[in-house]
Amino acid sequence: LAKYHVWVRRRKVHQKPVLNTLMIGLLRRQKWWQDDERIRNVIASFALPIEAVLALRAAFDSVNYARGDHIQVDDWLESVGEVSEDRPAYVTWLLDLVDLQNHSQSHMDFGEYMAMVTTLCMFDKHELLRWVFKAVSGRDTASLDKVGYDTLVDGLLKHNPLPHARSAFERLFRQHCLKKSGDIVFGAFCKIADKLPVLTFTLLRFQGSVMDKNAGRDFWLKKKLQFA
């Protein structure tokens, strides 16, 4: 299974397996349908209704200018307002998380798009922080050294339009790092994010824009409540 399953809340048993089978049958009538295991996994994991799947496909098609099986990642980023000369670090971390087959991360197919969108939209704030923390620290490491902390903070602040003082992040690192190792653990990083909300501004804005373009923010907020 794709790496994104590590990060999401997942129902062990679908409550309505018959309806899910019927929905797959209806989706097979769509010209774009491919029997992609990743699409099936996303639908089953999040109990997505057919309306949501079609909404995600419509968003995918809206930037599928070549009318092929893939879209350009940069075209998609532009559609959700992420326009910059260099790709934000948190976008690269997201593409790494869903494990694109295209290692240059220049394009993606619909199964990859579904995995990426649903993973991002289903994160709550705590999970967003855990995702970016582990993106920098690595899955086998429970803390960040000062270099890793700077990489993470810079990745979240570089494209942030809000005014912020870098010195505040330095001060809080010194307050919350472990005395012996000088590293910072995830719980302490969350405290820093609570004290300095500017740290998560671009991340939450990015998530909200993706929600708006894919079935709508209300849909995802209600869906997250089902898995709370």
Side-chain angles (χ1 to χ4, degrees):
L1 294 177
K3 286 189 290 186
Y4 67 89
H5 281 304
V6 175
W7 300 86
V8 298
R9 312 181 193 93
R10 194 176 179 206
R11 290 181 176 176
K12 293 182 180 179
V13 180
H14 198 294
Q15 291 184 346
K16 298 181 180 180
V18 175
L19 289 181
N20 183 260
T21 301
L22 290 173
M23 186 174 73
I24 294 296
L26 291 172
L27 288 173
R28 282 200 179 108
R29 299 178 184 178
Q30 301 292 318
K31 292 181 180 180
W32 53 263
W33 174 260
Q34 295 179 345
D35 201 13
D36 185 331
E37 183 181 1
R38 179 168 278 194
I39 295 177
R40 287 176 171 272
N41 284 339
V42 169
I43 292 172
S45 296
F46 300 107
L48 292 181
I50 190 169
E51 295 83 3
V53 177
L54 295 178
L56 266 65
R57 182 66 200 196
F60 180 88
D61 286 340
S62 71
V63 292
N64 187 7
Y65 303 125
R67 295 293 176 247
D69 295 329
H70 296 78
I71 61 172
Q72 296 297 312
V73 172
D74 288 343
D75 290 338
W76 169 69
L77 288 173
E78 185 177 354
S79 76
V80 294
E82 292 291 332
V83 182
S84 62
E85 293 183 2
D86 57 334
R87 184 176 293 177
Y90 50 83
V91 171
T92 299
W93 297 335
L94 178 62
L95 298 175
D96 285 341
L97 180 61
V98 298
D99 201 15
L100 295 188
Q101 293 180 8
N102 167 236
H103 297 299
S104 68
Q105 297 187 339
S106 62
H107 58 268
M108 57 185 158
D109 64 26
F110 183 56
E112 293 167 335
Y113 179 81
M114 281 190 71
M116 179 192 61
V117 167
T118 52
T119 298
L120 178 63
C121 292
M122 287 297 288
F123 280 147
D124 60 25
K125 182 181 176 180
H126 184 81
E127 290 165 334
L128 281 170
L129 290 172
R130 182 177 296 280
W131 153 50
V132 295
F133 187 90
K134 297 301 287 184
V136 176
S137 71
R139 293 176 62 178
D140 299 324
T141 307
S143 62
L144 285 174
D145 60 15
K146 183 59 166 60
V147 173
Y149 174 78
D150 287 342
T151 298
L152 177 51
V153 171
D154 290 343
L156 295 177
L157 293 181
K158 183 176 181 180
H159 295 84
N160 196 326
L162 300 181
H164 54 272
R166 193 67 169 77
S167 60
F169 291 92
E170 299 295 321
R171 175 176 50 80
L172 287 175
F173 178 86
R174 292 193 296 271
Q175 289 180 8
H176 290 284
C177 69
L178 300 173
K179 295 291 187 284
K180 187 174 182 179
S181 65
D183 293 351
I184 193 165
V185 297
F186 175 66
F189 177 68
C190 289
K191 291 178 181 178
I192 293 174
D194 287 340
K195 291 179 180 178
L196 298 172
V198 68
L199 184 64
T200 54
F201 175 78
T202 51
L203 206 55
L204 293 170
R205 182 186 63 182
F206 175 49
Q207 183 191 49
S209 296
V210 174
M211 286 179 173
D212 291 340
K213 292 285 186 177
N214 293 271
R217 197 171 304 213
D218 287 346
F219 170 80
W220 292 109
L221 294 178
K222 291 176 183 176
K223 178 59 68 175
K224 281 194 278 193
L225 288 176
Q226 296 174 10
F227 287 77

